[in-house]
Amino acid sequence: MTNLGVKALLSWVNSIKLSDSEIRIGDLQDGANLVKLISVLKKKPNPSLSNSSEDWVDFVAEFLE
């Protein structure tokens, strides 16, 4: 059984329509959907980040600042 916090998070993420299919918790593990989510919230195009985890972390950290 999924806890209520996870259900609420997935409900919110899926309400934003990041993809045509429903996003599941496993889809959030690699960070790609987090980058899409931040881009939607900032109302900017999805950035082209390299596969470097450092680039992804910098992008997320900048958003959180």
Side-chain angles (χ1 to χ4, degrees), residues 26-37:
D27 299 328
L28 300 176
Q29 290 180 340
D30 69 358
N33 283 307
L34 179 58
V35 169
K36 287 181 191 176
L37 178 63

Side-chain angles (χ1 to χ4, degrees), residues 49-56:
L49 300 175
S50 71
N51 288 336
S52 164
S53 60
E54 190 173 306
D55 287 345
W56 293 62

Side-chain angles (χ1 to χ4, degrees), residues 2-12 25:
T2 306
N3 76 38
L4 293 178
V6 171
K7 285 183 181 181
L9 173 65
L10 291 175
S11 177
W12 177 70
I25 196 67

Side-chain angles (χ1 to χ4, degrees), residues 17-64:
K17 304 288 184 204
L18 295 178
S19 72
D20 293 334
S21 60
E22 183 175 304
I23 293 176
R24 299 175 191 270
I25 196 67
D27 299 328
L28 300 176
Q29 290 180 340
D30 69 358
N33 283 307
L34 179 58
V35 169
K36 287 181 191 176
L37 178 63
I38 291 171
S39 297
V40 168
L41 294 174
K42 290 175 75 172
K43 298 181 182 176
K44 294 189 176 186
N46 198 6
S48 57
L49 300 175
S50 71
N51 288 336
S52 164
S53 60
E54 190 173 306
D55 287 345
W56 293 62
V57 170
D58 289 344
F59 180 76
V60 173
E62 179 184 316
F63 172 74
L64 294 174

